[in-house]
Amino acid sequence: MLKLLVAIALTVFTTIAFCDDTPAKVEGFTYVRTVGGIAEYKLDANGLQVLLLTVKSAPVATFMVTYHVGSRNEVTGTTGATHLLEHLMFKGSAKHDRSLGTGYDQIIERVGAESNATTWLDRTNYFATVPANALPLLIEVEADRMRNLALREDDRRPEMTVVRNEFERGENKPMGALSKELWAAAFQAHPYHHDTIGWRSDIERVPIEKLRAFYDTYYWPDNATATVIGDFDPAQALAAIKQHYGAIPKSPHPFPQVYTEEPEQSGQRRVLLKRSGEIGIVALAHKIPEATHADWPAIEVFSSILSYGKTSRCYRALTDKNLTLDVSGEASFTRDPSLHITSAYLNNGVKHEEVERKLMAEIEKIKASGVTATEVQIAVSGMMSHRAFARDGSYSLANEINDCIAVGDWTLYVSLEDKFKAVTPADVQRVAKKYFIDDHSTVGWFVPVQTKSDDKPKSATAKEETFKPKVVLAPKPLTTPLGDIPSAALAHRVTREQIRGMDVLICPSAAKDIVHLVLSVPAGEAASSNRALAHVVAGMLERGTKKHDQFAFADLLEKVGATIESKVKIDTVEFSVKCLSKDMPLVISLLAEQLITPAFLPEELLKLKKEMADGFQQSLESTDTQAAIAFSRAIFPKGHPSRQNNVPEMLADLEKVKLADVRNFYTKNYGPRDSHLVAVGDLDVAAIETEISKSFEPWNFQNLDQNDFMYVENKAYEAYKGGEVVIPMPGKASVSIMIGQQSGVNAHDPDWLALNVGTKILGEGFISRLIGNVRDREGLTYGIAAQMKDDTYRNGTWSIHGTFAPALLEKGLASTRRELESWWKEGITADELDYRKSSMIGSFTVSLETTEGLAERLLLSVERGFDVKWLDEYPAKINALTLDEVNAAIKKHLDPAKMATVKAGTVK
């Protein structure tokens, strides 16, 4: 099994092929049509709709089943039933059950699947991306749960508390809470009134009989669409679908139809939400038609012109004026008429009334004066670029098609592109006048309040549950044989050389029409004693060059739908670039212009500092963020590069930054030396080398004072000796926790890989000890995991992170520590190691399918000082690890008695 997966992991195809118009002929299926390379079939036995799209870009395939049922099909008393049932779909049948060691996750994670499910207004979908040889296995286990779900009360009770914690996590987020209120106020009759996750009391009290009735009503093959995308043989895929779905009967009854229509709104509605928080929000919701309506594409173009990017109306009128941190717009893509929501995050000291007035003024300007052809062209270019990048990987493709299935016409995936291209300025003005009407709007304000330390969360406190956890057996070996796939190495596809002083790696891939570049520059937080300075410099690079001001620069990028985004890390700044292949020369030249000739205007520095200060302040709302900051400060002493500043310290550092500091930091740290550029996608090696050399030529001769950046020697910093840190955040419905220590290893340590494998056994995926026990058996949390971080340039961190309701916090921590102690004292088992090796090798294969995944893997390897061949050797290195090596690494580097514990949230 493992030798086979090693072979799969090294397999990479360099051609791409979409299925032609010649349908596969498999007895028992009726061929319906082929649109845009997607072939539609109907399984004659039961009416299951099947969509096939072969994309031979990597030895990977995605199988997705979309059920035509969502929260739209719920009524009072069963709100959230679709979502809770989605969770229970993973709990097993008579054949595939975790208590037997044959559960869905136990089987699928073994082959390295990326698997999950989602519920939305109009649909529920279940999906996994697997190495191509595992596709028949995936179809088998997915088909089993269509009609054979056990649906036991002793599964519902712990899973209810899991879903409730998911609800509580959402309540922690101001915009999520406000959005729920907006939909509830905007829709009074139509079931879009109910949030997808449901009302809390329904989540807690819905009986298993109701869930069984819901399942028996909607989960049938003639109410589902199965989509297969990736590297597969259509005839073989259809044969597998027929084998496993063919015996399932069609529904014995008609499916209930939603016939309720929302009455026309005859006056503006308003929502005021006051909760614990830091930043105010104004949101405008307007009624818009369904996604299949002829006006929907023009509404999407309107939304982009209004609020997307620096060329948008709202960026210029509000964000650039330091009135808002951000303004975004979203036109819901739904089966029935729904909402367009424009949301604005307020800067500190700015009044809600002012932002609401200015948002409405921008909408009125479009209604009165229209938009320009250039604005439409920029908006459409962005959409075309997004659609191209949505073809990057079989899952991404399946997800886009899934949205169109949900609204009732999968062919929209193909036709929308032409519909966007046909939108005119007159169309945009027309839909603005028709739909963006005050009397058909709902206005929402989130007003942050300072909650007292002894206040309880706004949602009800979680109750202690008294159910007996189920016994779960270790995963059993696979009984379904997996076919072999020819192997080919990755390293031979990568061209690596020095260009203008940079380490450049170029890897052509089968991704069609797109290029993904990642540039790493050694100019992170640790390069200065002022931890805010690296963030300021990276932000200033986005605010204009000596040749183009920020708006002219943004105009050039957005006209071709390209993006350049930066992320400041401890040691580096990472620039992520996406563009269409045809625009690669322009975008590389713009990246070089941004990096080599920044304007560094004083007025832009003032704006940026104000924006960043409010952003730091906003981070005080996040229990996850505050827990992570406190954790780093607990395990690293002052002066350590990995120790984060808290918000007051970041604000103080930000205030100190002067323009001269920005220029000095830039001169000292920005340059080609020790920088890595990785380019992946539909590209010609010689052509991109020429463009990089030409565009970055000036960089080779400037910034001569740039520091040498080498792997940091580990200093003898004092190790943290354990203890507890509490960050009180009153009014939060969910508490974030972290438990951990310095890992004691970096990527060059001989124990690093073994400790990684052991950590994943404890806390990665559904078949880890933490998820399997603390979440699935005991129902104490929605999410908990273990990970190793920040170990590229120095010894990193080892931590467990999770969330619990305040009332379940101590019980959750006790269970977490129990699993940690058992893992550390007793070690992992041979079966666990064999399972995790298989999973890691398979998931490695899946991770290389997209341009982004491949680029990030390549960049991380060279940042760590490894040769590109290290990726080819990675599966074999995993396979070679022994049980003794993994257990020894766990005991050598970790000690639960010396770990710090952090709690952030509503904690006494």
Side-chain angles (χ1 to χ4, degrees), residues 271-303:
V271 169
L272 178 63
L273 183 62
K274 292 184 177 182
R275 287 196 186 176
S276 174
E278 300 294 331
I279 298 294
I281 303 172
V282 171
L284 309 181
H286 293 87
K287 297 282 179 59
I288 60 171
E290 64 276 14
T292 53
H293 194 283
D295 285 344
W296 194 90
I299 293 170
E300 182 77 340
V301 173
F302 164 88
S303 180

CSV table of all heavy atoms in Angstrom, one decimal, residues 271-303:
chain,number,residue,atom,x,y,z
A,271,VAL,N,-31.7,47.4,11.5
A,271,VAL,CA,-31.2,46.4,12.5
A,271,VAL,C,-30.1,47.1,13.3
A,271,VAL,O,-29.2,47.7,12.7
A,271,VAL,CB,-30.7,45.1,11.9
A,271,VAL,CG1,-30.0,44.3,12.9
A,271,VAL,CG2,-31.8,44.3,11.3
A,272,LEU,N,-30.2,47.1,14.6
A,272,LEU,CA,-29.1,47.6,15.4
A,272,LEU,C,-28.6,46.5,16.3
A,272,LEU,O,-29.4,46.0,17.1
A,272,LEU,CB,-29.6,48.8,16.3
A,272,LEU,CG,-28.6,49.4,17.2
A,272,LEU,CD1,-27.4,50.0,16.5
A,272,LEU,CD2,-29.3,50.5,18.1
A,273,LEU,N,-27.4,46.1,16.2
A,273,LEU,CA,-26.8,45.1,17.0
A,273,LEU,C,-25.7,45.6,17.9
A,273,LEU,O,-24.7,46.2,17.4
A,273,LEU,CB,-26.2,44.0,16.1
A,273,LEU,CG,-25.6,42.7,16.7
A,273,LEU,CD1,-26.7,42.0,17.5
A,273,LEU,CD2,-25.0,41.8,15.7
A,274,LYS,N,-25.8,45.5,19.2
A,274,LYS,CA,-24.8,46.0,20.1
A,274,LYS,C,-24.2,44.8,20.8
A,274,LYS,O,-24.9,44.0,21.5
A,274,LYS,CB,-25.4,46.9,21.1
A,274,LYS,CG,-25.9,48.2,20.6
A,274,LYS,CD,-26.4,49.2,21.7
A,274,LYS,CE,-26.8,50.5,21.1
A,274,LYS,NZ,-27.3,51.4,22.2
A,275,ARG,N,-22.9,44.6,20.7
A,275,ARG,CA,-22.2,43.5,21.3
A,275,ARG,C,-20.8,43.9,21.6
A,275,ARG,O,-20.3,44.9,21.1
A,275,ARG,CB,-22.2,42.2,20.4
A,275,ARG,CG,-23.5,41.5,20.3
A,275,ARG,CD,-23.4,40.2,19.7
A,275,ARG,NE,-24.7,39.5,19.5
A,275,ARG,CZ,-24.8,38.4,19.0
A,275,ARG,NH1,-23.8,37.7,18.6
A,275,ARG,NH2,-26.0,37.8,18.8
A,276,SER,N,-20.1,43.0,22.3
A,276,SER,CA,-18.7,43.2,22.6
A,276,SER,C,-17.9,43.2,21.3
A,276,SER,O,-18.1,42.4,20.4
A,276,SER,CB,-18.2,42.0,23.5
A,276,SER,OG,-16.8,42.1,23.6
A,277,GLY,N,-17.1,44.3,21.1
A,277,GLY,CA,-16.3,44.4,19.9
A,277,GLY,C,-15.5,45.6,19.9
A,277,GLY,O,-15.4,46.4,20.9
A,278,GLU,N,-14.8,45.9,18.8
A,278,GLU,CA,-13.8,47.0,18.7
A,278,GLU,C,-14.2,47.9,17.6
A,278,GLU,O,-13.9,49.1,17.7
A,278,GLU,CB,-12.4,46.5,18.6
A,278,GLU,CG,-11.9,45.6,19.7
A,278,GLU,CD,-11.8,46.3,21.0
A,278,GLU,OE1,-11.5,47.5,21.0
A,278,GLU,OE2,-11.9,45.7,22.1
A,279,ILE,N,-14.7,47.4,16.5
A,279,ILE,CA,-14.9,48.2,15.3
A,279,ILE,C,-16.3,48.2,14.9
A,279,ILE,O,-17.0,47.1,14.8
A,279,ILE,CB,-14.0,47.6,14.1
A,279,ILE,CG1,-12.5,47.6,14.5
A,279,ILE,CG2,-14.3,48.3,12.8
A,279,ILE,CD1,-12.0,49.0,14.6
A,280,GLY,N,-16.9,49.3,14.5
A,280,GLY,CA,-18.2,49.4,14.1
A,280,GLY,C,-18.4,48.9,12.6
A,280,GLY,O,-17.4,48.9,11.9
A,281,ILE,N,-19.6,48.5,12.3
A,281,ILE,CA,-19.9,48.0,10.9
A,281,ILE,C,-21.2,48.7,10.5
A,281,ILE,O,-22.2,48.8,11.2
A,281,ILE,CB,-20.0,46.5,10.9
A,281,ILE,CG1,-18.7,45.8,11.4
A,281,ILE,CG2,-20.3,46.0,9.4
A,281,ILE,CD1,-18.9,44.3,11.5
A,282,VAL,N,-21.2,49.1,9.2
A,282,VAL,CA,-22.5,49.5,8.5
A,282,VAL,C,-22.7,48.5,7.4
A,282,VAL,O,-21.7,48.3,6.6
A,282,VAL,CB,-22.4,50.9,8.0
A,282,VAL,CG1,-23.6,51.2,7.1
A,282,VAL,CG2,-22.4,51.9,9.2
A,283,ALA,N,-23.9,47.9,7.3
A,283,ALA,CA,-24.2,47.0,6.2
A,283,ALA,C,-25.5,47.4,5.5
A,283,ALA,O,-26.5,47.7,6.2
A,283,ALA,CB,-24.2,45.6,6.7
A,284,LEU,N,-25.5,47.5,4.2
A,284,LEU,CA,-26.7,47.8,3.4
A,284,LEU,C,-27.1,46.6,2.6
A,284,LEU,O,-26.3,46.1,1.8
A,284,LEU,CB,-26.4,49.0,2.4
A,284,LEU,CG,-25.8,50.2,3.0
A,284,LEU,CD1,-25.6,51.3,1.8
A,284,LEU,CD2,-26.6,50.8,4.1
A,285,ALA,N,-28.3,46.1,2.9
A,285,ALA,CA,-28.8,44.9,2.2
A,285,ALA,C,-29.9,45.3,1.2
A,285,ALA,O,-30.9,46.0,1.7
A,285,ALA,CB,-29.3,43.9,3.2
A,286,HIS,N,-29.8,45.0,0.0
A,286,HIS,CA,-30.8,45.3,-1.0
A,286,HIS,C,-31.3,44.0,-1.7
A,286,HIS,O,-30.6,43.1,-1.9
A,286,HIS,CB,-30.3,46.2,-2.1
A,286,HIS,CG,-29.9,47.6,-1.7
A,286,HIS,ND1,-28.7,47.9,-1.1
A,286,HIS,CD2,-30.6,48.7,-1.6
A,286,HIS,CE1,-28.6,49.2,-0.8
A,286,HIS,NE2,-29.8,49.7,-1.1
A,287,LYS,N,-32.6,43.9,-1.9
A,287,LYS,CA,-33.3,42.8,-2.5
A,287,LYS,C,-32.8,42.7,-4.0
A,287,LYS,O,-32.9,43.7,-4.8
A,287,LYS,CB,-34.8,42.9,-2.5
A,287,LYS,CG,-35.4,42.9,-1.1
A,287,LYS,CD,-35.4,41.5,-0.5
A,287,LYS,CE,-36.0,41.5,1.0
A,287,LYS,NZ,-37.3,42.0,1.1
A,288,ILE,N,-32.4,41.5,-4.4
A,288,ILE,CA,-32.0,41.3,-5.8
A,288,ILE,C,-32.6,40.0,-6.3
A,288,ILE,O,-33.0,39.1,-5.5
A,288,ILE,CB,-30.4,41.2,-6.0
A,288,ILE,CG1,-29.8,40.0,-5.1
A,288,ILE,CG2,-29.8,42.5,-5.6
A,288,ILE,CD1,-28.4,39.8,-5.4
A,289,PRO,N,-32.6,39.7,-7.6
A,289,PRO,CA,-33.3,38.5,-8.1
A,289,PRO,C,-32.4,37.3,-8.0
A,289,PRO,O,-31.2,37.4,-7.6
A,289,PRO,CB,-33.5,38.9,-9.6
A,289,PRO,CG,-32.4,39.9,-9.9
A,289,PRO,CD,-32.2,40.7,-8.7
A,290,GLU,N,-33.0,36.2,-8.4
A,290,GLU,CA,-32.3,34.9,-8.3
A,290,GLU,C,-31.1,34.9,-9.3
A,290,GLU,O,-31.1,35.6,-10.3
A,290,GLU,CB,-33.2,33.8,-8.6
A,290,GLU,CG,-33.9,33.8,-10.0
A,290,GLU,CD,-35.1,34.7,-10.1
A,290,GLU,OE1,-35.3,35.5,-9.2
A,290,GLU,OE2,-35.8,34.5,-11.1
A,291,ALA,N,-30.2,33.9,-9.1
A,291,ALA,CA,-29.0,33.8,-9.9
A,291,ALA,C,-29.2,33.5,-11.4
A,291,ALA,O,-28.4,33.9,-12.2
A,291,ALA,CB,-28.0,32.8,-9.3
A,292,THR,N,-30.3,32.9,-11.7
A,292,THR,CA,-30.7,32.6,-13.1
A,292,THR,C,-31.3,33.7,-13.8
A,292,THR,O,-31.6,33.6,-15.0
A,292,THR,CB,-31.6,31.3,-13.1
A,292,THR,OG1,-32.7,31.5,-12.3
A,292,THR,CG2,-30.8,30.1,-12.7
A,293,HIS,N,-31.6,34.8,-13.1
A,293,HIS,CA,-32.3,36.0,-13.7
A,293,HIS,C,-31.3,36.7,-14.7
A,293,HIS,O,-30.1,36.7,-14.4
A,293,HIS,CB,-32.7,36.9,-12.6
A,293,HIS,CG,-33.7,38.0,-13.1
A,293,HIS,ND1,-33.3,39.1,-13.8
A,293,HIS,CD2,-35.1,38.1,-12.9
A,293,HIS,CE1,-34.4,39.8,-14.0
A,293,HIS,NE2,-35.5,39.2,-13.5
A,294,ALA,N,-31.9,37.2,-15.7
A,294,ALA,CA,-31.0,37.9,-16.7
A,294,ALA,C,-30.3,39.1,-16.2
A,294,ALA,O,-29.3,39.5,-16.7
A,294,ALA,CB,-31.9,38.3,-17.9
A,295,ASP,N,-30.8,39.7,-15.1
A,295,ASP,CA,-30.1,40.9,-14.5
A,295,ASP,C,-29.0,40.6,-13.6
A,295,ASP,O,-28.2,41.5,-13.2
A,295,ASP,CB,-31.2,41.7,-13.8
A,295,ASP,CG,-32.1,42.5,-14.7
A,295,ASP,OD1,-31.8,42.6,-15.9
A,295,ASP,OD2,-33.2,42.9,-14.2
A,296,TRP,N,-28.9,39.3,-13.2
A,296,TRP,CA,-27.9,39.0,-12.1
A,296,TRP,C,-26.4,39.3,-12.6
A,296,TRP,O,-25.7,39.9,-11.8
A,296,TRP,CB,-27.9,37.5,-11.7
A,296,TRP,CG,-27.2,37.3,-10.4
A,296,TRP,CD1,-27.7,37.3,-9.2
A,296,TRP,CD2,-25.8,36.9,-10.3
A,296,TRP,NE1,-26.7,37.1,-8.3
A,296,TRP,CE2,-25.5,36.8,-8.9
A,296,TRP,CE3,-24.8,36.8,-11.2
A,296,TRP,CZ2,-24.3,36.5,-8.5
A,296,TRP,CZ3,-23.5,36.5,-10.7
A,296,TRP,CH2,-23.3,36.3,-9.4
A,297,PRO,N,-26.0,39.0,-13.8
A,297,PRO,CA,-24.6,39.4,-14.2
A,297,PRO,C,-24.3,40.9,-14.1
A,297,PRO,O,-23.3,41.3,-13.6
A,297,PRO,CB,-24.5,38.9,-15.6
A,297,PRO,CG,-25.5,37.8,-15.7
A,297,PRO,CD,-26.6,38.2,-14.8
A,298,ALA,N,-25.3,41.7,-14.4
A,298,ALA,CA,-25.1,43.2,-14.3
A,298,ALA,C,-25.0,43.6,-12.9
A,298,ALA,O,-24.3,44.6,-12.5
A,298,ALA,CB,-26.3,43.9,-15.1
A,299,ILE,N,-25.8,43.0,-12.0
A,299,ILE,CA,-25.7,43.3,-10.6
A,299,ILE,C,-24.3,42.9,-10.0
A,299,ILE,O,-23.7,43.7,-9.2
A,299,ILE,CB,-26.8,42.5,-9.8
A,299,ILE,CG1,-28.2,43.1,-10.2
A,299,ILE,CG2,-26.6,42.6,-8.3
A,299,ILE,CD1,-29.3,42.2,-9.7
A,300,GLU,N,-23.8,41.8,-10.5
A,300,GLU,CA,-22.4,41.5,-10.0
A,300,GLU,C,-21.4,42.5,-10.5
A,300,GLU,O,-20.4,42.8,-9.8
A,300,GLU,CB,-22.1,40.1,-10.6
A,300,GLU,CG,-20.7,39.5,-10.2
A,300,GLU,CD,-20.7,39.0,-8.7
A,300,GLU,OE1,-21.5,39.4,-7.9
A,300,GLU,OE2,-19.7,38.3,-8.4
A,301,VAL,N,-21.5,43.0,-11.7
A,301,VAL,CA,-20.6,44.0,-12.2
A,301,VAL,C,-20.8,45.3,-11.4
A,301,VAL,O,-19.8,46.0,-11.1
A,301,VAL,CB,-20.9,44.3,-13.7
A,301,VAL,CG1,-20.1,45.4,-14.2
A,301,VAL,CG2,-20.5,43.0,-14.6
A,302,PHE,N,-22.1,45.7,-11.1
A,302,PHE,CA,-22.3,46.8,-10.3
A,302,PHE,C,-21.6,46.7,-9.0
A,302,PHE,O,-21.0,47.6,-8.5
A,302,PHE,CB,-23.8,47.0,-10.1
A,302,PHE,CG,-24.2,47.9,-8.9
A,302,PHE,CD1,-24.4,49.2,-9.1
A,302,PHE,CD2,-24.4,47.4,-7.7
A,302,PHE,CE1,-24.7,50.1,-8.1
A,302,PHE,CE2,-24.7,48.2,-6.6
A,302,PHE,CZ,-24.9,49.5,-6.8
A,303,SER,N,-21.7,45.5,-8.3
A,303,SER,CA,-21.1,45.3,-7.0
A,303,SER,C,-19.6,45.4,-7.1
A,303,SER,O,-19.0,46.0,-6.2
A,303,SER,CB,-21.4,43.8,-6.6
A,303,SER,OG,-20.9,43.6,-5.3
